[in-house]
Amino acid sequence: MMGVLVFCVVVLAFISQGYSSQENGLLDAGGCVSRIKQQHILTNSQNFSMDLRMPGVVPTKSDNYLCMAFPVPTSRDAYIVDFIPHASMDKVHHMLLFGCQTPVSTSNYWDCGSVQGTCVDEASIMYAWARNAPPTKLPKDVGFKVGGNSGMSYFVLQIHYGDITAFRDHHRDCSGLTLQMTSKPQPFIAGIYLLMSVDTVILPGKRVTNADIACDYTSYPIYPFAFRTHTHRLGKVVSGYRIRDGKWSLIGRQSPQLPQAFYPANKEVSVEYGDIVAARCVFTGEGRTSKTYIGGTSADEMCNFYIMYYMDSKHAIPYMNCMETGFKELFQHIPAEANVPITVSPDQMNSMMHMEHSGKRFLLNVKFIFTLTSMHYHLEQVSAWPQSSLQLGQVSGLALDSDSNLVIFHRGDHRWGADSFNRQARYQQRSLGPIQQSTILVVDPAQGTILKASGRNMFYLPHGITTDKENNYWVTDVALHQVLKVSSDGTDRTLLVLGEAFIPGSDNDHFCQPTDVAVDTETGNIFVSDGYCNARILKFSADGKYLSQWGAGSSDRRRSLPFHIPHSLVFLPNRREVCVADRENGRIQCFVAKTGEFVKEIKKEEFGGEMFAITYSPAGGGLIFAVNGDSLHHSAPPRGFVISYSTKAILDTFSPSTKVNTHRYSRSLLPEHNMSKTAAVPQKQTVDQHPHSKEGVEMEEVKKKIAAKPNREAGVLPAIITTLLLIPLLLVVSVGLFICWRRNSMYYMTITPWLVYNRGLHGKAVGSLNLGNFFASHKGYSRQGFDQLSTEGSDQERNDEDSSDSENEEYSALPPPQSSS
């Protein structure tokens, strides 16, 4: 059930790069100098990168502001399209990048916390970083313009070294940025709008102090695509808004105690002439014994709300600011959410402190902004993926191998339809034989090209797939009622089989339509979710020995609710737990892997009553990525969720845009390769496949009635006319057949049904759902071969003959409306 997870995947296609301690600003002076000498490296005729690093400095005092100037490496127009930070919050309080014509110095670094400042002329802020924030990449067709006639011939890197305890060993610091740049003209120019309080005073012991800023906007339209908040230790929440005709529209809201990155802004909000731009910072004075003022030291406070926007290149303004205190009358109408602090758990704080030591550098691959909330790990759709057509049937499972390649498990020309199983869950189409196509494809996640293909003549109805540390495939087949371990070397060797082929059961040696597998990364133990007609999780040793099993958990045993299709599994290596997507109960449950002891349940109204697939990353204190499904009982749309394991809070959501045939997502972190779990989300699947499920049978009848109703209404008149025209012909044919029967001893009467049966057997399948149309339409489509991704037919989708496939759509920055100027 996974087709939409080329939707959650690719909650799966993540980009990650290993890095050494050198990338973290721990180089010696010689290393820093060598990097400075290699400032810009051409990667092709248009694209290049530039390293901006401190040249091995040793801060001598706390709250030291040091600056370093770097000339823009071209006299022509150039555009910054990506910022990659190299810094750690245990050494660097925050980092700013300015652009200007004339810096204070061009020879060496200098103390810019004094009267000297950064630039002789006006400086424009282009980037800001603090608290181990991940990188930022601009949307397609958007860039910060530098060089040429932009008025920016120099970059000035400013680093605020707060507490210099980390420099007791007198090591030299090389913190800084890498800029990804291009000389290709960008249709839209990025800029920064900074709202900043300059006169707020926080009284000691006072629980809440608000800093309000607001300005009239009097320029050409801007389109916010990212925001950043910044305070020091007393800040609880910072929110930014556009006010138009008295209505407050949220641009972004975040805790400044989380990584101070640029997070995706509300894509529905643009700012035009006559609007008001406003922000509020909420502080607490608890724990302080004296007044706290706005200032530059770590003992002071700041209230900054940054808006990263784009605008038409003809009217580009690189930097704007607002420092006016908002009127009380205006802020009486600010939404209540702006006054609610965002709690930061100890796990999240600990994660920030150690993020840079985790062995990964997080690269945020932002293609375009979809769903935008206060979240620092956001998923974005990668348009035009795959670059060439993948010949796929119903996609039932996805995974990542140890090389971060995408592994696709699909059904070729087989379908899970209404007649695939009888009421005892026995597969009814064995005469078709196994799937002849390669059911396991290893795909390049960047291009979508096939690297390897295997799994011919092995499976009947594939479902779940995962990989272990040796890159073996662990798969489930709901027709076989088996779990198989298959080699990935192309030989299609079956290394281990659990369950008896085609025989469903509920004992320790049988499964009933098992759905997924998770692998313990240390012990090699495997966990199986079983399944459509059982309600349990089974645990086996690495060599297939049965160890234990358990059902659904509950903190209140009196109200325990059994699993209703445990559909997707994931192993949490840093917590030694197993979590399951309990599909029809619309929840996630987690258990201790060793004992099966219940740990927690996550169930949200936003899930809409169904939960199809989950995966996990240990970053950020633990993040669960989940995908729900369409439901007859709830109106919640199918989409993905980013959920904090610790707090159970939904941190972000994501969903594919319409009119896209396939979906691949990139995110800012890559989980362990064997934790990539996905499953298809059917369009209207709520039917339990349990052969004895009363609810499932009743729901199937409801669906049949719903599907049949429009056909009956639309086809009544043509059917009557056709019937009247055929009656005379049928009478003649009937008489002829009767005469033939009398003369030929019923020969044709025996052969004709056989031909009809076989024609039906090998004709079109019951139905499938084009993944590209999944969110664009509630119609199916007439399938020619199996060249487009589809969800699995186990969910009995409709197959309307007159529907058509959507065209691929390339996503880029939205063009601004025509201005009246």
Side-chain angles (χ1 to χ4, degrees), residues 773-796:
N773 293 336
F774 183 77
F775 288 93
S777 170
H778 288 296
K779 294 183 178 181
Y781 71 107
S782 178
R783 201 179 165 81
Q784 303 298 323
F786 50 97
D787 58 340
Q788 299 292 339
L789 291 178
S790 64
T791 60
E792 61 195 28
S794 65
D795 303 321
Q796 303 172 23

PDB file of all heavy atoms in Angstrom, residues 773-796:
ATOM      1  N   ASN A 773      -2.383  11.142 -10.389  1.00  0.00           N
ATOM      2  CA  ASN A 773      -3.734  11.685 -10.224  1.00  0.00           C
ATOM      3  C   ASN A 773      -4.271  11.499  -8.817  1.00  0.00           C
ATOM      4  O   ASN A 773      -5.409  11.844  -8.537  1.00  0.00           O
ATOM      5  CB  ASN A 773      -4.700  10.988 -11.196  1.00  0.00           C
ATOM      6  CG  ASN A 773      -4.395  11.332 -12.620  1.00  0.00           C
ATOM      7  OD1 ASN A 773      -3.803  12.374 -12.893  1.00  0.00           O
ATOM      8  ND2 ASN A 773      -4.779  10.464 -13.529  1.00  0.00           N
ATOM      9  N   PHE A 774      -3.450  10.939  -7.940  1.00  0.00           N
ATOM     10  CA  PHE A 774      -3.972  10.523  -6.635  1.00  0.00           C
ATOM     11  C   PHE A 774      -4.624  11.662  -5.882  1.00  0.00           C
ATOM     12  O   PHE A 774      -5.695  11.531  -5.338  1.00  0.00           O
ATOM     13  CB  PHE A 774      -2.838   9.941  -5.792  1.00  0.00           C
ATOM     14  CG  PHE A 774      -3.307   9.424  -4.479  1.00  0.00           C
ATOM     15  CD1 PHE A 774      -3.967   8.208  -4.414  1.00  0.00           C
ATOM     16  CD2 PHE A 774      -3.121  10.135  -3.320  1.00  0.00           C
ATOM     17  CE1 PHE A 774      -4.414   7.716  -3.212  1.00  0.00           C
ATOM     18  CE2 PHE A 774      -3.565   9.654  -2.110  1.00  0.00           C
ATOM     19  CZ  PHE A 774      -4.201   8.434  -2.062  1.00  0.00           C
ATOM     20  N   PHE A 775      -3.952  12.815  -5.864  1.00  0.00           N
ATOM     21  CA  PHE A 775      -4.511  13.936  -5.148  1.00  0.00           C
ATOM     22  C   PHE A 775      -5.228  14.897  -6.080  1.00  0.00           C
ATOM     23  O   PHE A 775      -5.896  15.812  -5.635  1.00  0.00           O
ATOM     24  CB  PHE A 775      -3.404  14.696  -4.409  1.00  0.00           C
ATOM     25  CG  PHE A 775      -2.893  13.936  -3.246  1.00  0.00           C
ATOM     26  CD1 PHE A 775      -1.804  13.101  -3.369  1.00  0.00           C
ATOM     27  CD2 PHE A 775      -3.516  14.026  -2.022  1.00  0.00           C
ATOM     28  CE1 PHE A 775      -1.338  12.389  -2.292  1.00  0.00           C
ATOM     29  CE2 PHE A 775      -3.054  13.315  -0.942  1.00  0.00           C
ATOM     30  CZ  PHE A 775      -1.964  12.492  -1.075  1.00  0.00           C
ATOM     31  N   ALA A 776      -5.075  14.711  -7.372  1.00  0.00           N
ATOM     32  CA  ALA A 776      -5.672  15.651  -8.314  1.00  0.00           C
ATOM     33  C   ALA A 776      -7.116  15.295  -8.623  1.00  0.00           C
ATOM     34  O   ALA A 776      -7.924  16.133  -8.981  1.00  0.00           O
ATOM     35  CB  ALA A 776      -4.873  15.679  -9.606  1.00  0.00           C
ATOM     36  N   SER A 777      -7.478  14.016  -8.485  1.00  0.00           N
ATOM     37  CA  SER A 777      -8.807  13.590  -8.907  1.00  0.00           C
ATOM     38  C   SER A 777      -9.217  12.353  -8.151  1.00  0.00           C
ATOM     39  O   SER A 777      -8.400  11.584  -7.689  1.00  0.00           O
ATOM     40  CB  SER A 777      -8.785  13.288 -10.409  1.00  0.00           C
ATOM     41  OG  SER A 777      -9.979  12.674 -10.807  1.00  0.00           O
ATOM     42  N   HIS A 778     -10.503  12.137  -8.033  1.00  0.00           N
ATOM     43  CA  HIS A 778     -11.009  10.912  -7.417  1.00  0.00           C
ATOM     44  C   HIS A 778     -11.338   9.865  -8.472  1.00  0.00           C
ATOM     45  O   HIS A 778     -11.976   8.878  -8.189  1.00  0.00           O
ATOM     46  CB  HIS A 778     -12.248  11.210  -6.576  1.00  0.00           C
ATOM     47  CG  HIS A 778     -11.928  11.947  -5.321  1.00  0.00           C
ATOM     48  ND1 HIS A 778     -11.157  11.410  -4.322  1.00  0.00           N
ATOM     49  CD2 HIS A 778     -12.246  13.198  -4.919  1.00  0.00           C
ATOM     50  CE1 HIS A 778     -11.035  12.267  -3.332  1.00  0.00           C
ATOM     51  NE2 HIS A 778     -11.681  13.365  -3.671  1.00  0.00           N
ATOM     52  N   LYS A 779     -10.904  10.089  -9.695  1.00  0.00           N
ATOM     53  CA  LYS A 779     -11.158   9.112 -10.749  1.00  0.00           C
ATOM     54  C   LYS A 779      -9.952   8.213 -10.931  1.00  0.00           C
ATOM     55  O   LYS A 779      -8.830   8.570 -10.670  1.00  0.00           O
ATOM     56  CB  LYS A 779     -11.444   9.830 -12.080  1.00  0.00           C
ATOM     57  CG  LYS A 779     -12.741  10.635 -12.058  1.00  0.00           C
ATOM     58  CD  LYS A 779     -12.994  11.257 -13.418  1.00  0.00           C
ATOM     59  CE  LYS A 779     -14.306  12.014 -13.442  1.00  0.00           C
ATOM     60  NZ  LYS A 779     -14.570  12.608 -14.753  1.00  0.00           N
ATOM     61  N   GLY A 780     -10.218   7.022 -11.457  1.00  0.00           N
ATOM     62  CA  GLY A 780      -9.133   6.138 -11.827  1.00  0.00           C
ATOM     63  C   GLY A 780      -8.701   6.447 -13.247  1.00  0.00           C
ATOM     64  O   GLY A 780      -8.906   7.534 -13.750  1.00  0.00           O
ATOM     65  N   TYR A 781      -8.150   5.471 -13.982  1.00  0.00           N
ATOM     66  CA  TYR A 781      -7.814   5.744 -15.366  1.00  0.00           C
ATOM     67  C   TYR A 781      -7.733   4.427 -16.102  1.00  0.00           C
ATOM     68  O   TYR A 781      -7.579   3.373 -15.519  1.00  0.00           O
ATOM     69  CB  TYR A 781      -6.499   6.513 -15.477  1.00  0.00           C
ATOM     70  CG  TYR A 781      -5.280   5.719 -15.137  1.00  0.00           C
ATOM     71  CD1 TYR A 781      -4.396   5.305 -16.129  1.00  0.00           C
ATOM     72  CD2 TYR A 781      -5.003   5.370 -13.813  1.00  0.00           C
ATOM     73  CE1 TYR A 781      -3.281   4.570 -15.813  1.00  0.00           C
ATOM     74  CE2 TYR A 781      -3.900   4.644 -13.504  1.00  0.00           C
ATOM     75  CZ  TYR A 781      -3.025   4.246 -14.500  1.00  0.00           C
ATOM     76  OH  TYR A 781      -1.923   3.517 -14.185  1.00  0.00           O
ATOM     77  N   SER A 782      -7.856   4.527 -17.400  1.00  0.00           N
ATOM     78  CA  SER A 782      -7.734   3.340 -18.234  1.00  0.00           C
ATOM     79  C   SER A 782      -6.259   3.081 -18.468  1.00  0.00           C
ATOM     80  O   SER A 782      -5.565   3.886 -19.058  1.00  0.00           O
ATOM     81  CB  SER A 782      -8.444   3.578 -19.572  1.00  0.00           C
ATOM     82  OG  SER A 782      -8.294   2.465 -20.401  1.00  0.00           O
ATOM     83  N   ARG A 783      -5.777   1.984 -18.005  1.00  0.00           N
ATOM     84  CA  ARG A 783      -4.351   1.723 -17.948  1.00  0.00           C
ATOM     85  C   ARG A 783      -3.876   1.027 -19.218  1.00  0.00           C
ATOM     86  O   ARG A 783      -4.406   0.042 -19.630  1.00  0.00           O
ATOM     87  CB  ARG A 783      -4.117   0.818 -16.746  1.00  0.00           C
ATOM     88  CG  ARG A 783      -2.728   0.836 -16.221  1.00  0.00           C
ATOM     89  CD  ARG A 783      -2.681  -0.079 -15.028  1.00  0.00           C
ATOM     90  NE  ARG A 783      -1.311  -0.347 -14.719  1.00  0.00           N
ATOM     91  CZ  ARG A 783      -0.575   0.495 -14.031  1.00  0.00           C
ATOM     92  NH1 ARG A 783      -1.092   1.594 -13.585  1.00  0.00           N
ATOM     93  NH2 ARG A 783       0.686   0.220 -13.794  1.00  0.00           N
ATOM     94  N   GLN A 784      -2.850   1.570 -19.841  1.00  0.00           N
ATOM     95  CA  GLN A 784      -2.241   0.942 -21.007  1.00  0.00           C
ATOM     96  C   GLN A 784      -0.917   0.338 -20.557  1.00  0.00           C
ATOM     97  O   GLN A 784       0.063   1.039 -20.368  1.00  0.00           O
ATOM     98  CB  GLN A 784      -2.025   1.980 -22.111  1.00  0.00           C
ATOM     99  CG  GLN A 784      -3.292   2.692 -22.547  1.00  0.00           C
ATOM    100  CD  GLN A 784      -4.312   1.748 -23.128  1.00  0.00           C
ATOM    101  OE1 GLN A 784      -3.955   0.799 -23.831  1.00  0.00           O
ATOM    102  NE2 GLN A 784      -5.579   1.980 -22.837  1.00  0.00           N
ATOM    103  N   GLY A 785      -0.866  -0.965 -20.377  1.00  0.00           N
ATOM    104  CA  GLY A 785       0.327  -1.581 -19.830  1.00  0.00           C
ATOM    105  C   GLY A 785       0.426  -1.246 -18.356  1.00  0.00           C
ATOM    106  O   GLY A 785      -0.556  -1.103 -17.670  1.00  0.00           O
ATOM    107  N   PHE A 786       1.658  -1.074 -17.863  1.00  0.00           N
ATOM    108  CA  PHE A 786       1.811  -0.641 -16.469  1.00  0.00           C
ATOM    109  C   PHE A 786       2.990   0.312 -16.392  1.00  0.00           C
ATOM    110  O   PHE A 786       3.919   0.156 -15.630  1.00  0.00           O
ATOM    111  CB  PHE A 786       2.004  -1.825 -15.524  1.00  0.00           C
ATOM    112  CG  PHE A 786       3.056  -2.799 -15.959  1.00  0.00           C
ATOM    113  CD1 PHE A 786       4.337  -2.723 -15.457  1.00  0.00           C
ATOM    114  CD2 PHE A 786       2.744  -3.784 -16.869  1.00  0.00           C
ATOM    115  CE1 PHE A 786       5.300  -3.630 -15.850  1.00  0.00           C
ATOM    116  CE2 PHE A 786       3.707  -4.686 -17.262  1.00  0.00           C
ATOM    117  CZ  PHE A 786       4.987  -4.616 -16.758  1.00  0.00           C
ATOM    118  N   ASP A 787       2.954   1.350 -17.252  1.00  0.00           N
ATOM    119  CA  ASP A 787       4.083   2.263 -17.354  1.00  0.00           C
ATOM    120  C   ASP A 787       4.014   3.435 -16.397  1.00  0.00           C
ATOM    121  O   ASP A 787       4.885   4.276 -16.395  1.00  0.00           O
ATOM    122  CB  ASP A 787       4.194   2.795 -18.786  1.00  0.00           C
ATOM    123  CG  ASP A 787       2.929   3.506 -19.223  1.00  0.00           C
ATOM    124  OD1 ASP A 787       1.882   3.261 -18.608  1.00  0.00           O
ATOM    125  OD2 ASP A 787       3.000   4.290 -20.170  1.00  0.00           O
ATOM    126  N   GLN A 788       2.957   3.537 -15.588  1.00  0.00           N
ATOM    127  CA  GLN A 788       2.878   4.632 -14.623  1.00  0.00           C
ATOM    128  C   GLN A 788       2.742   4.044 -13.229  1.00  0.00           C
ATOM    129  O   GLN A 788       2.185   2.976 -13.033  1.00  0.00           O
ATOM    130  CB  GLN A 788       1.660   5.533 -14.919  1.00  0.00           C
ATOM    131  CG  GLN A 788       1.692   6.186 -16.289  1.00  0.00           C
ATOM    132  CD  GLN A 788       2.794   7.207 -16.405  1.00  0.00           C
ATOM    133  OE1 GLN A 788       3.267   7.700 -15.403  1.00  0.00           O
ATOM    134  NE2 GLN A 788       3.204   7.501 -17.606  1.00  0.00           N
ATOM    135  N   LEU A 789       3.257   4.786 -12.252  1.00  0.00           N
ATOM    136  CA  LEU A 789       3.137   4.333 -10.876  1.00  0.00           C
ATOM    137  C   LEU A 789       1.674   4.253 -10.471  1.00  0.00           C
ATOM    138  O   LEU A 789       0.884   5.104 -10.809  1.00  0.00           O
ATOM    139  CB  LEU A 789       3.852   5.310  -9.937  1.00  0.00           C
ATOM    140  CG  LEU A 789       5.374   5.334 -10.048  1.00  0.00           C
ATOM    141  CD1 LEU A 789       5.922   6.373  -9.096  1.00  0.00           C
ATOM    142  CD2 LEU A 789       5.937   3.975  -9.714  1.00  0.00           C
ATOM    143  N   SER A 790       1.316   3.232  -9.733  1.00  0.00           N
ATOM    144  CA  SER A 790      -0.052   3.121  -9.259  1.00  0.00           C
ATOM    145  C   SER A 790      -0.033   2.543  -7.863  1.00  0.00           C
ATOM    146  O   SER A 790       0.895   1.865  -7.470  1.00  0.00           O
ATOM    147  CB  SER A 790      -0.865   2.222 -10.181  1.00  0.00           C
ATOM    148  OG  SER A 790      -0.363   0.914 -10.151  1.00  0.00           O
ATOM    149  N   THR A 791      -1.093   2.799  -7.131  1.00  0.00           N
ATOM    150  CA  THR A 791      -1.195   2.181  -5.827  1.00  0.00           C
ATOM    151  C   THR A 791      -1.765   0.794  -5.986  1.00  0.00           C
ATOM    152  O   THR A 791      -2.217   0.399  -7.048  1.00  0.00           O
ATOM    153  CB  THR A 791      -2.107   3.011  -4.909  1.00  0.00           C
ATOM    154  OG1 THR A 791      -3.399   3.098  -5.500  1.00  0.00           O
ATOM    155  CG2 THR A 791      -1.557   4.413  -4.722  1.00  0.00           C
ATOM    156  N   GLU A 792      -1.727   0.066  -4.888  1.00  0.00           N
ATOM    157  CA  GLU A 792      -2.097  -1.328  -5.008  1.00  0.00           C
ATOM    158  C   GLU A 792      -3.605  -1.517  -5.084  1.00  0.00           C
ATOM    159  O   GLU A 792      -4.371  -0.793  -4.499  1.00  0.00           O
ATOM    160  CB  GLU A 792      -1.548  -2.106  -3.821  1.00  0.00           C
ATOM    161  CG  GLU A 792      -2.082  -1.615  -2.502  1.00  0.00           C
ATOM    162  CD  GLU A 792      -1.273  -2.136  -1.355  1.00  0.00           C
ATOM    163  OE1 GLU A 792      -0.107  -2.396  -1.538  1.00  0.00           O
ATOM    164  OE2 GLU A 792      -1.825  -2.275  -0.287  1.00  0.00           O
ATOM    165  N   GLY A 793      -3.980  -2.537  -5.836  1.00  0.00           N
ATOM    166  CA  GLY A 793      -5.402  -2.786  -6.036  1.00  0.00           C
ATOM    167  C   GLY A 793      -6.069  -3.490  -4.883  1.00  0.00           C
ATOM    168  O   GLY A 793      -7.251  -3.751  -4.932  1.00  0.00           O
ATOM    169  N   SER A 794      -5.302  -3.802  -3.828  1.00  0.00           N
ATOM    170  CA  SER A 794      -5.922  -4.439  -2.678  1.00  0.00           C
ATOM    171  C   SER A 794      -7.006  -3.568  -2.096  1.00  0.00           C
ATOM    172  O   SER A 794      -7.863  -4.017  -1.370  1.00  0.00           O
ATOM    173  CB  SER A 794      -4.875  -4.684  -1.595  1.00  0.00           C
ATOM    174  OG  SER A 794      -4.383  -3.447  -1.117  1.00  0.00           O
ATOM    175  N   ASP A 795      -6.934  -2.296  -2.431  1.00  0.00           N
ATOM    176  CA  ASP A 795      -7.878  -1.365  -1.854  1.00  0.00           C
ATOM    177  C   ASP A 795      -9.028  -1.106  -2.793  1.00  0.00           C
ATOM    178  O   ASP A 795      -9.809  -0.188  -2.614  1.00  0.00           O
ATOM    179  CB  ASP A 795      -7.143  -0.086  -1.488  1.00  0.00           C
ATOM    180  CG  ASP A 795      -6.006  -0.423  -0.553  1.00  0.00           C
ATOM    181  OD1 ASP A 795      -6.197  -1.281   0.309  1.00  0.00           O
ATOM    182  OD2 ASP A 795      -4.936   0.142  -0.719  1.00  0.00           O
ATOM    183  N   GLN A 796      -9.109  -1.916  -3.832  1.00  0.00           N
ATOM    184  CA  GLN A 796     -10.278  -1.974  -4.689  1.00  0.00           C
ATOM    185  C   GLN A 796     -10.656  -0.606  -5.237  1.00  0.00           C
ATOM    186  O   GLN A 796     -11.741  -0.101  -5.056  1.00  0.00           O
ATOM    187  CB  GLN A 796     -11.447  -2.590  -3.918  1.00  0.00           C
ATOM    188  CG  GLN A 796     -11.091  -3.977  -3.392  1.00  0.00           C
ATOM    189  CD  GLN A 796     -12.129  -4.542  -2.486  1.00  0.00           C
ATOM    190  OE1 GLN A 796     -13.277  -4.136  -2.549  1.00  0.00           O
ATOM    191  NE2 GLN A 796     -11.770  -5.478  -1.652  1.00  0.00           N
TER     192      GLN A 796
END
